[in-house]
Amino acid sequence: AQKITQTQPGMFVQEKEAVTLDCTYDTSDQSYGLFWYKQPSSGEMIFLIYQGSYDEQNATEGRYSLNFQKARKSANLVISASQLGDSAMYFCAMREGGGNTGKLIFGQGTTLQVKP
Amino acid sequence: DGGITQSPKYLFRKEGQNVTLSCEQNLNHDAMYWYRQDPGQGLRLIYYSQIVNDFQKGDIAEGYSVSREKKESFPLTVTSAQKNPTAFYLCASTPSGFYGYTFGSGTRLTVV
């Protein structure tokens, strides 16, 4: 069965430094998608970045990049130049299967706190 | 602007009552989903629907019911059979194909 594992319940980072949030996944599907979402204390889910299983290059979106290591089944999120507003919970998620199945499976999340 | 609207933002339920959470989208998305989030935890799938008049159970469907009579609407009813309904409920939608999800702002349900 598909599974997402985030092993870091909480992380601290100094403002302006980079931080890596870990995510490993388990799937037998060849076609899948990996997502990272940010959830501030307000509860909304903010989409950050997406990596398809067939994408050869690591995805990047502004200060966010995804370190995709397919053989190791890891999809770590790297946030560069951390800002106080980055303090939130971060979720790694995997889209199960291809086509129109559409179900997202979430990890347990990592709470990131940025220190001034 | 297109998006997903969830209402109410906060909801209080007495023991033994059914309550319905609203989810409306104007994105013309085919698929809609309901997730439950407990404090400090990830999201778990309750129900999802890929087309009008059709829906499937997710991982934790017991004690919940849904309907999909219109493409724009996917209400969730938390029935009295759900023994521990206090949680944060998030609705999401996605177009068909391999795309990301749009989430609503959530409904926080508390049993009193």
PDB file of all heavy atoms in Angstrom, chain A residues 14-31:
ATOM      1  N   GLN A  14      17.143  28.969  11.713  1.00  0.00           N
ATOM      2  CA  GLN A  14      17.409  30.391  11.908  1.00  0.00           C
ATOM      3  C   GLN A  14      16.979  31.152  10.653  1.00  0.00           C
ATOM      4  O   GLN A  14      17.144  30.667   9.516  1.00  0.00           O
ATOM      5  CB  GLN A  14      18.907  30.600  12.153  1.00  0.00           C
ATOM      6  CG  GLN A  14      19.271  31.843  12.917  1.00  0.00           C
ATOM      7  CD  GLN A  14      18.848  31.802  14.367  1.00  0.00           C
ATOM      8  OE1 GLN A  14      18.875  30.764  15.018  1.00  0.00           O
ATOM      9  NE2 GLN A  14      18.424  32.945  14.869  1.00  0.00           N
ATOM     10  N   GLU A  15      16.417  32.323  10.894  1.00  0.00           N
ATOM     11  CA  GLU A  15      15.998  33.168   9.768  1.00  0.00           C
ATOM     12  C   GLU A  15      17.158  33.342   8.796  1.00  0.00           C
ATOM     13  O   GLU A  15      18.307  33.491   9.198  1.00  0.00           O
ATOM     14  CB  GLU A  15      15.544  34.521  10.304  1.00  0.00           C
ATOM     15  CG  GLU A  15      14.846  35.408   9.299  1.00  0.00           C
ATOM     16  CD  GLU A  15      14.384  36.721   9.917  1.00  0.00           C
ATOM     17  OE1 GLU A  15      14.783  37.003  11.071  1.00  0.00           O
ATOM     18  OE2 GLU A  15      13.628  37.442   9.262  1.00  0.00           O
ATOM     19  N   LYS A  16      16.844  33.281   7.501  1.00  0.00           N
ATOM     20  CA  LYS A  16      17.783  33.459   6.386  1.00  0.00           C
ATOM     21  C   LYS A  16      18.611  32.217   6.082  1.00  0.00           C
ATOM     22  O   LYS A  16      19.347  32.214   5.089  1.00  0.00           O
ATOM     23  CB  LYS A  16      18.698  34.669   6.602  1.00  0.00           C
ATOM     24  CG  LYS A  16      17.949  35.986   6.716  1.00  0.00           C
ATOM     25  CD  LYS A  16      18.898  37.162   6.899  1.00  0.00           C
ATOM     26  CE  LYS A  16      18.102  38.444   7.124  1.00  0.00           C
ATOM     27  NZ  LYS A  16      18.991  39.607   7.372  1.00  0.00           N
ATOM     28  N   GLU A  17      18.483  31.174   6.889  1.00  0.00           N
ATOM     29  CA  GLU A  17      19.193  29.946   6.585  1.00  0.00           C
ATOM     30  C   GLU A  17      18.295  29.003   5.780  1.00  0.00           C
ATOM     31  O   GLU A  17      17.077  29.178   5.717  1.00  0.00           O
ATOM     32  CB  GLU A  17      19.652  29.264   7.877  1.00  0.00           C
ATOM     33  CG  GLU A  17      20.734  30.045   8.593  1.00  0.00           C
ATOM     34  CD  GLU A  17      21.264  29.284   9.799  1.00  0.00           C
ATOM     35  OE1 GLU A  17      20.670  28.270  10.183  1.00  0.00           O
ATOM     36  OE2 GLU A  17      22.285  29.728  10.348  1.00  0.00           O
ATOM     37  N   ALA A  18      18.910  27.988   5.185  1.00  0.00           N
ATOM     38  CA  ALA A  18      18.155  26.977   4.449  1.00  0.00           C
ATOM     39  C   ALA A  18      17.786  25.820   5.378  1.00  0.00           C
ATOM     40  O   ALA A  18      18.471  25.562   6.372  1.00  0.00           O
ATOM     41  CB  ALA A  18      18.977  26.458   3.272  1.00  0.00           C
ATOM     42  N   VAL A  19      16.704  25.145   5.020  1.00  0.00           N
ATOM     43  CA  VAL A  19      16.257  24.003   5.821  1.00  0.00           C
ATOM     44  C   VAL A  19      15.717  22.932   4.880  1.00  0.00           C
ATOM     45  O   VAL A  19      15.138  23.242   3.825  1.00  0.00           O
ATOM     46  CB  VAL A  19      15.183  24.432   6.841  1.00  0.00           C
ATOM     47  CG1 VAL A  19      13.930  24.947   6.169  1.00  0.00           C
ATOM     48  CG2 VAL A  19      14.843  23.291   7.799  1.00  0.00           C
ATOM     49  N   THR A  20      15.936  21.674   5.260  1.00  0.00           N
ATOM     50  CA  THR A  20      15.443  20.538   4.477  1.00  0.00           C
ATOM     51  C   THR A  20      14.441  19.744   5.302  1.00  0.00           C
ATOM     52  O   THR A  20      14.739  19.330   6.429  1.00  0.00           O
ATOM     53  CB  THR A  20      16.593  19.615   4.050  1.00  0.00           C
ATOM     54  OG1 THR A  20      17.491  20.346   3.203  1.00  0.00           O
ATOM     55  CG2 THR A  20      16.057  18.419   3.280  1.00  0.00           C
ATOM     56  N   LEU A  21      13.286  19.539   4.740  1.00  0.00           N
ATOM     57  CA  LEU A  21      12.245  18.723   5.380  1.00  0.00           C
ATOM     58  C   LEU A  21      12.176  17.385   4.653  1.00  0.00           C
ATOM     59  O   LEU A  21      12.027  17.350   3.436  1.00  0.00           O
ATOM     60  CB  LEU A  21      10.891  19.439   5.322  1.00  0.00           C
ATOM     61  CG  LEU A  21      10.856  20.859   5.874  1.00  0.00           C
ATOM     62  CD1 LEU A  21       9.438  21.413   5.839  1.00  0.00           C
ATOM     63  CD2 LEU A  21      11.403  20.915   7.282  1.00  0.00           C
ATOM     64  N   ASP A  22      12.264  16.310   5.427  1.00  0.00           N
ATOM     65  CA  ASP A  22      12.386  14.992   4.833  1.00  0.00           C
ATOM     66  C   ASP A  22      11.029  14.360   4.506  1.00  0.00           C
ATOM     67  O   ASP A  22      10.040  14.559   5.226  1.00  0.00           O
ATOM     68  CB  ASP A  22      13.135  14.052   5.784  1.00  0.00           C
ATOM     69  CG  ASP A  22      14.578  14.466   5.983  1.00  0.00           C
ATOM     70  OD1 ASP A  22      15.112  15.213   5.140  1.00  0.00           O
ATOM     71  OD2 ASP A  22      15.177  14.030   6.984  1.00  0.00           O
ATOM     72  N   CYS A  23      11.027  13.586   3.438  1.00  0.00           N
ATOM     73  CA  CYS A  23       9.834  12.851   3.043  1.00  0.00           C
ATOM     74  C   CYS A  23      10.265  11.601   2.286  1.00  0.00           C
ATOM     75  O   CYS A  23      11.042  11.689   1.321  1.00  0.00           O
ATOM     76  CB  CYS A  23       8.942  13.699   2.149  1.00  0.00           C
ATOM     77  SG  CYS A  23       7.531  12.819   1.420  1.00  0.00           S
ATOM     78  N   THR A  24       9.817  10.450   2.733  1.00  0.00           N
ATOM     79  CA  THR A  24      10.010   9.228   1.968  1.00  0.00           C
ATOM     80  C   THR A  24       8.652   8.638   1.643  1.00  0.00           C
ATOM     81  O   THR A  24       7.673   8.873   2.352  1.00  0.00           O
ATOM     82  CB  THR A  24      10.859   8.198   2.732  1.00  0.00           C
ATOM     83  OG1 THR A  24      10.211   7.898   3.979  1.00  0.00           O
ATOM     84  CG2 THR A  24      12.252   8.714   2.993  1.00  0.00           C
ATOM     85  N   TYR A  25       8.610   7.899   0.564  1.00  0.00           N
ATOM     86  CA  TYR A  25       7.329   7.369   0.119  1.00  0.00           C
ATOM     87  C   TYR A  25       7.493   5.916  -0.291  1.00  0.00           C
ATOM     88  O   TYR A  25       8.607   5.443  -0.554  1.00  0.00           O
ATOM     89  CB  TYR A  25       6.763   8.216  -1.024  1.00  0.00           C
ATOM     90  CG  TYR A  25       7.640   8.269  -2.253  1.00  0.00           C
ATOM     91  CD1 TYR A  25       7.486   7.355  -3.287  1.00  0.00           C
ATOM     92  CD2 TYR A  25       8.649   9.231  -2.364  1.00  0.00           C
ATOM     93  CE1 TYR A  25       8.289   7.395  -4.400  1.00  0.00           C
ATOM     94  CE2 TYR A  25       9.470   9.276  -3.482  1.00  0.00           C
ATOM     95  CZ  TYR A  25       9.284   8.357  -4.496  1.00  0.00           C
ATOM     96  OH  TYR A  25      10.092   8.394  -5.597  1.00  0.00           O
ATOM     97  N   ASP A  26       6.379   5.246  -0.342  1.00  0.00           N
ATOM     98  CA  ASP A  26       6.375   3.853  -0.737  1.00  0.00           C
ATOM     99  C   ASP A  26       5.218   3.634  -1.701  1.00  0.00           C
ATOM    100  O   ASP A  26       4.065   3.914  -1.358  1.00  0.00           O
ATOM    101  CB  ASP A  26       6.229   2.946   0.485  1.00  0.00           C
ATOM    102  CG  ASP A  26       6.406   1.479   0.141  1.00  0.00           C
ATOM    103  OD1 ASP A  26       6.984   1.186  -0.930  1.00  0.00           O
ATOM    104  OD2 ASP A  26       5.970   0.624   0.933  1.00  0.00           O
ATOM    105  N   THR A  27       5.516   3.161  -2.872  1.00  0.00           N
ATOM    106  CA  THR A  27       4.500   2.866  -3.859  1.00  0.00           C
ATOM    107  C   THR A  27       5.034   1.853  -4.843  1.00  0.00           C
ATOM    108  O   THR A  27       6.236   1.795  -5.090  1.00  0.00           O
ATOM    109  CB  THR A  27       4.058   4.131  -4.619  1.00  0.00           C
ATOM    110  OG1 THR A  27       3.042   3.785  -5.566  1.00  0.00           O
ATOM    111  CG2 THR A  27       5.215   4.781  -5.356  1.00  0.00           C
ATOM    112  N   SER A  28       4.145   1.071  -5.389  1.00  0.00           N
ATOM    113  CA  SER A  28       4.523   0.130  -6.441  1.00  0.00           C
ATOM    114  C   SER A  28       4.135   0.672  -7.819  1.00  0.00           C
ATOM    115  O   SER A  28       4.425   0.044  -8.836  1.00  0.00           O
ATOM    116  CB  SER A  28       3.844  -1.228  -6.205  1.00  0.00           C
ATOM    117  OG  SER A  28       2.443  -1.066  -6.122  1.00  0.00           O
ATOM    118  N   ASP A  29       3.475   1.826  -7.841  1.00  0.00           N
ATOM    119  CA  ASP A  29       3.096   2.435  -9.118  1.00  0.00           C
ATOM    120  C   ASP A  29       4.303   3.069  -9.795  1.00  0.00           C
ATOM    121  O   ASP A  29       5.198   3.594  -9.127  1.00  0.00           O
ATOM    122  CB  ASP A  29       2.030   3.516  -8.899  1.00  0.00           C
ATOM    123  CG  ASP A  29       0.693   2.930  -8.500  1.00  0.00           C
ATOM    124  OD1 ASP A  29       0.418   1.772  -8.872  1.00  0.00           O
ATOM    125  OD2 ASP A  29      -0.067   3.634  -7.818  1.00  0.00           O
ATOM    126  N   GLN A  30       4.332   3.004 -11.108  1.00  0.00           N
ATOM    127  CA  GLN A  30       5.387   3.658 -11.867  1.00  0.00           C
ATOM    128  C   GLN A  30       5.073   5.130 -12.093  1.00  0.00           C
ATOM    129  O   GLN A  30       5.971   5.956 -12.220  1.00  0.00           O
ATOM    130  CB  GLN A  30       5.562   2.952 -13.218  1.00  0.00           C
ATOM    131  CG  GLN A  30       6.034   1.513 -13.100  1.00  0.00           C
ATOM    132  CD  GLN A  30       7.359   1.411 -12.380  1.00  0.00           C
ATOM    133  OE1 GLN A  30       8.328   2.091 -12.714  1.00  0.00           O
ATOM    134  NE2 GLN A  30       7.417   0.561 -11.352  1.00  0.00           N
ATOM    135  N   SER A  31       3.792   5.437 -12.136  1.00  0.00           N
ATOM    136  CA  SER A  31       3.353   6.806 -12.382  1.00  0.00           C
ATOM    137  C   SER A  31       2.715   7.360 -11.116  1.00  0.00           C
ATOM    138  O   SER A  31       1.729   6.822 -10.625  1.00  0.00           O
ATOM    139  CB  SER A  31       2.344   6.834 -13.530  1.00  0.00           C
ATOM    140  OG  SER A  31       1.877   8.145 -13.746  1.00  0.00           O
TER     141      SER A  31
END
